[in-house]
Amino acid sequence: MESFDVVVVGARCAGSPLAAMLARRGLKVCVLDRAHFPSETPSTHMIQSCGVDVLDELGVLDTLMSAGAAPLHGATIASDDVRIHAAVDGQADHPVLCLRRLTLDVLLVEAAGAAGAEVRTGTRVAGLLRDGDRVTGVRTDKGTIPARLVVGADGRHSTVADTVGAQEYDVTPPGRMVAWGYFEGVDREPLARFGRMKDMGYLAGPTDGDLYMAAIAPDQCRVNEFQADRDTFFTNAIRNWPELADLMADAKRVGPLRVFTKWHGYFRQSAGPGWVLVGDAGHFKDFSPGQGISDALRQARHLARSIEDGLAGNGLDDAMQRWWDWRDHDAYEMYWYAARMGAPGPATPWTNALLREISANPAATRAFIQVLNHDIPPSQLYTPAMAWRATARAIREQPRHAPATVRQFISTAREGLQQARRKQRLADRTRSMNREPDRSQR
């Protein structure tokens, strides 16, 4: 049996980058995935500039651009009659990208192999090896693989997380489902589009292969209505956003509609003796702000440093616990922000007034892009002063909705206090878990 320093289970946008980074550090790494590549998986396609930074560090950005990746230099955010037009250029080193996973994942797998990691696709992990409470490797359908550390980068239905009994916490229900397709014959203007028209959410942008990706996000309660006639439902939804409908007037869909309906938001216990979770295996949020790929890439970069430090003799388990603590604090505000963005139902007058405040203020518009790029936390943009101005604006614009607007302002203020308390409980819980000697059996 060949043994490794690290076995990474899952070879997509968290696992392969991590394997490449570790191999470049001189570690002996094996990355496994039951899939053969290229293969599809649910995705928002959007990669924020901070994630593109990591792709550049991995050395795959030029290849992606040669493969037709579409650089997006700005974003349009629409909510009913509100529009925010924001430029990415000048705020980050790289543009936003919109990529099919058929293109992205296979290049990341190749990068891991080129860096020196042993890549074994078409290999299913059936369980973990243990020495007492400690994970010491994996069992696959092709044999066992011992390792000093096992990394679960195997997504929402993680075998590693399930086998170690990793608990979920701060769970949120799904607000919306999502359906997306690829289209020919669409003007490839370099813009990402985020939108909500009444109770329908949208995400769209030019992608690789000279295609355009358009996604709709109906309320979860409309799943059966969508499934009854997918094509008609999708077409009618696109028509309800006038600018997107005009852009796609001559579009022809390539292939079927893809659908993602069964999900929920969570954090998971993400470290224990001999194991750690990264990417969707340890944390999943609402897809509305398009954060998943960038999160996976950023997390892989930070985890690679933590693993190198831990295996260098500075306490591997302690290093993984610190990684878990960093992940939670890094992701926490965006998690709740994403849940609010993806909440079911139409936007309220107060929500639209808040967006008008951002649209009318160039500094706030720049800050909005910084929030999406993980440069600043949402609380730095959505201040109490802005919330109060939005309340006054909403009452002026729609006085008959004043009582509901005031109630939403009060509810939002209370939610802010609750989030602060949740964050403190999160820190307390992490400290408590760090003290427990048998974390893997939780």
Side-chain angles (χ1 to χ4, degrees):
M1 291 185 298
E2 185 179 9
S3 63
F4 292 84
D5 294 312
V6 182
V7 167
V8 182
V9 182
R12 294 192 184 270
C13 56
S16 283
L18 175 65
M21 294 172 191
L22 293 174
R24 289 176 182 177
R25 286 167 162 81
L27 298 177
K28 190 175 181 182
V29 184
C30 180
V31 57
L32 312 169
D33 203 297
R34 63 184 177 183
H36 292 279
F37 294 89
S39 63
E40 293 204 51
T41 191
S43 174
T44 62
H45 298 65
M46 297 294 176
I47 311 176
Q48 308 298 332
S49 300
C50 59
V52 181
D53 290 345
V54 181
L55 295 177
D56 194 17
E57 292 171 14
L58 288 168
V60 301
L61 183 56
D62 289 344
T63 306
L64 286 168
M65 301 305 288
S66 299
L72 308 182
H73 300 287
T76 293
I77 299 91
S79 182
D80 297 327
D81 63 341
V82 185
R83 299 293 183 272
I84 300 174
H85 303 288
V88 175
D89 290 349
Q91 294 205 65
D93 293 334
H94 294 103
V96 173
L97 296 182
C98 179
L99 283 168
R100 294 177 298 165
R101 298 296 291 275
L102 286 171
T103 303
L104 175 64
D105 289 352
V106 69
L107 290 179
L108 292 176
V109 170
E110 290 173 357
E118 183 164 329
V119 179
R120 301 181 186 179
T121 58
T123 302
R124 186 179 65 86
V125 172
L128 301 177
L129 304 178
R130 291 183 183 272
D131 182 2
D133 296 331
R134 186 168 198 81
V135 171
T136 57
V138 298
R139 291 187 294 106
T140 79
D141 55 354
K142 298 175 182 178
T144 59
I145 307 174
R148 297 167 68 186
L149 179 70
V150 172
V151 179
D154 46 346
R156 294 177 300 117
H157 304 295
S158 169
T159 297
V160 176
D162 183 62
T163 304
V164 300
Q167 289 184 326
E168 294 183 353
Y169 51 95
D170 287 334
V171 173
T172 54
R176 298 174 181 274
M177 59 161 282
V178 64
W180 71 97
Y182 305 115
F183 297 84
E184 294 176 331
V186 181
D187 181 13
R188 290 166 58 80
E189 60 177 345
L191 290 176
R193 293 180 179 271
F194 301 83
R196 181 187 290 191
M197 299 291 132
K198 296 182 180 179
D199 65 346
M200 186 68 64
Y202 300 86
L203 180 64
T207 188
D208 59 282
D210 291 326
L211 298 173
Y212 193 84
M213 188 281 297
I216 63 169
D219 287 358
Q220 192 75 19
C221 65
R222 301 184 69 183
V223 169
N224 291 338
E225 180 186 354
F226 169 83
Q227 298 287 24
D229 189 346
R230 292 183 173 191
D231 289 345
T232 299
F233 190 105
F234 190 94
T235 300
N236 289 338
I238 295 296
R239 287 173 180 162
N240 287 333
W241 187 356
E243 297 98 321
L244 186 59
D246 289 345
L247 190 68
M248 297 181 62
D250 298 322
K252 178 183 177 182
R253 197 176 78 224
V254 178
L257 291 173
R258 282 79 169 170
V259 182
F260 180 44
T261 60
K262 296 181 179 179
W263 65 276
H264 64 277
Y266 57 81
F267 287 86
R268 281 189 183 129
Q269 178 191 1
S270 290
W275 63 271
V276 66
L277 304 179
V278 67
D280 289 352
H283 164 60
F284 188 81
K285 67 172 70 62
D286 188 286
F287 47 78
S288 297
Q291 295 288 307
I293 300 175
S294 298
D295 277 356
L297 293 167
R298 292 171 55 257
Q299 288 180 16
R301 178 168 58 188
H302 196 280
L303 181 56
R305 296 167 182 162
S306 297
I307 291 173
E308 180 183 34
D309 181 61
L311 290 178
N314 297 316
L316 179 59
D317 290 350
D318 287 344
M320 296 305 93
Q321 292 290 330
R322 289 192 297 271
W323 139 256
W324 174 20
D325 185 52
W326 172 87
R327 190 282 315 275
D328 276 6
H329 285 84
D330 178 72
Y332 208 67
E333 278 203 38
M334 181 59 75
Y335 177 71
W336 295 105
Y337 178 61
R340 289 196 298 273
M341 281 188 71
T348 65
W350 185 85
T351 299
N352 283 339
L354 190 66
L355 293 175
R356 284 191 181 92
E357 288 292 318
I358 295 173
S359 179
N361 185 332
T365 300
R366 289 192 296 272
F368 187 90
I369 293 297
Q370 290 177 305
V371 168
L372 293 181
N373 196 42
H374 239 286
D375 294 325
I376 63 173
S379 59
Q380 194 168 321
L381 170 62
Y382 298 97
T383 62
M386 177 178 283
W388 175 247
R389 290 196 301 271
T391 303
R393 177 190 282 265
I395 292 172
R396 286 196 310 270
E397 293 174 345
Q398 300 193 45
R400 66 190 182 92
H401 293 294
T405 295
V406 171
R407 286 195 296 270
Q408 186 170 3
F409 171 74
I410 295 171
S411 174
T412 302
R414 288 174 175 167
E415 183 181 339
L417 293 174
Q418 291 170 354
Q419 183 169 315
R421 295 189 188 104
R422 284 194 297 258
K423 198 166 186 178
Q424 183 57 52
R425 289 198 299 269
L426 176 70
D428 293 343
R429 176 167 52 242
T430 301
R431 284 193 293 270
S432 175
M433 287 180 174
N434 287 348
R435 289 193 297 268
E436 292 181 13
D438 191 19
R439 289 179 294 270
S440 64
Q441 300 301 314
R442 286 178 58 87

